[in-house]
Amino acid sequence: MTDPELAAARARAAAARDQLRAVIREVEARLRPASLASDAIESIKRKSGEVAVDAVEAVRERPIAASAIVAGIGALIGARLFHRKSKRPKSGRRKSRQGDAS
């Protein structure tokens, strides 16, 4: 190898090392917990926005079906609340247990 070839090879090696160091710094930055959390939050925001748009489109395409679903969910919630209230004692006091002296 001649001196110019050796100098060119050393220059290429130095450039490759610099490029590798830059890649390592970038990977380290991406793997920091704060960066990972930020990326995850951005991904969730983007996905939730897509889901919301899809939901709006579905309601626009099938308003009657969407209304029926909402009514059904409301009925289930109302039935659970009604059932929960009907199980409570009316006097406001707790029922005594059989082993308790009342």
Side-chain angles (χ1 to χ4, degrees):
M1 212 179 244
T2 64
D3 282 342
E5 290 174 341
L6 186 58
R10 286 183 177 158
R12 285 193 305 271
R17 277 193 301 274
D18 290 342
Q19 185 178 5
L20 180 60
R21 285 185 188 120
V23 168
I24 289 171
R25 281 192 299 272
E26 184 179 337
V27 168
E28 286 175 341
R30 286 185 181 182
L31 292 178
R32 286 191 184 111
S35 294
L36 292 173
S38 176
D39 291 346
I41 289 170
E42 289 302 317
S43 177
I44 290 169
K45 285 180 183 177
R46 192 171 38 254
K47 188 61 180 176
S48 63
E50 292 171 7
V51 169
V53 168
D54 291 346
V56 169
E57 288 176 7
V59 169
R60 284 185 181 155
E61 290 174 6
R62 298 177 196 90
I64 295 173
S67 299
I69 291 171
V70 170
I73 292 171
L76 286 173
I77 292 171
R80 288 193 126 199
L81 290 174
F82 178 77
H83 182 69
R84 207 180 272 172
K85 279 189 173 188
S86 65
K87 280 189 165 185
R88 290 185 183 163
K90 293 182 181 180
S91 66
R93 291 187 248 165
R94 291 186 174 190
K95 293 180 182 178
S96 63
R97 295 182 186 156
Q98 289 179 343
D100 293 346
S102 301

